[in-house]
Amino acid sequence: MALELLGSFFVALTLGLLVWALRKKFAAIPAWATPAVAGAGLIATAIYMEYSWFNRVAAALPAQFVVANPETATSPLRPWTFAVPVVNRFTALDGSKLARHPERDDLVVAPVFGFARWQNPQTALMVFDCIGKRRVPVTEGMAIDANGTLTGADWLVLETPDGLQQAACKEG
């Protein structure tokens, strides 16, 4: 966040200095143009950073990660988000670390990562029941016995599988 703020200030300063230099050469440029262009540059850079965050973070993930469930948001403090909502969080599943139960091929354990704007990534192990269309994060007190029965779990049942469920249950 601090680097984005510094970058925005740098763009504003550069544009302000450019207009100031042009004003010295061309007297027809009004005095208010310098702060107006600097302010517009600051706002434009902040908007660009907001909208490019999801693509930048998702592109930086390793190839085996499957990006799923991007969540968009709007805010009255950022009125342009009502026209085009901005992605402020998403989840990703590490497809290289899927573990299927030896007795129940429909039971998959996978590491899931949660990314949110201006927050550290969160990580959790999740158990996916591919036939039952449900999932649960692994917590203390949960157990999977030899025949694949999970105890101590409070399953989240999905009416339709979302991107995370589809990525975990994908064959191959």
Side-chain angles (χ1 to χ4, degrees):
M1 182 172 165
L3 290 177
E4 289 183 11
L5 183 63
L6 286 174
S8 295
F9 284 147
F10 179 75
V11 168
L13 179 65
T14 302
L15 289 175
L17 287 173
L18 178 66
V19 172
W20 176 77
L22 289 173
R23 279 191 64 234
K24 295 295 180 192
K25 186 156 178 90
F26 304 104
I29 297 174
W32 57 263
T34 302
V37 169
L42 183 75
I43 292 170
T45 303
I47 291 171
Y48 170 77
M49 296 300 242
E50 283 286 316
Y51 280 98
S52 67
W53 171 81
F54 170 66
N55 293 330
R56 287 183 287 126
V57 173
L61 294 175
Q64 68 269 19
F65 275 59
V66 178
V67 174
N69 304 343
E71 295 179 25
T72 58
T74 58
S75 170
L77 298 176
R78 299 175 296 174
W80 53 87
T81 62
F82 289 103
V84 180
V86 64
V87 175
N88 64 354
R89 66 178 57 235
F90 69 94
T91 54
L93 181 134
D94 187 352
S96 68
K97 295 194 169 93
L98 298 179
R100 294 190 180 274
H101 192 277
E103 297 297 320
R104 284 189 55 197
D105 198 38
D106 62 310
L107 208 58
V108 179
V109 178
V112 175
F113 300 85
F115 296 90
R117 187 97 166 110
W118 298 307
Q119 295 178 13
N120 290 328
Q122 303 294 315
T123 183
L125 272 179
M126 293 197 84
V127 178
F128 296 88
D129 181 356
C130 297
I131 292 177
K133 296 180 186 169
R134 56 190 187 157
R135 67 175 175 241
V136 64
V138 174
T139 58
E140 191 174 331
M142 285 178 54
I144 302 175
D145 64 18
N147 61 357
T149 304
L150 190 66
T151 57
D154 188 18
W155 291 96
L156 170 64
V157 179
L158 305 170
E159 296 210 8
T160 56
D162 61 0
L164 199 58
Q165 188 86 11
Q166 290 172 352
C169 296
K170 183 177 170 183
E171 292 296 324

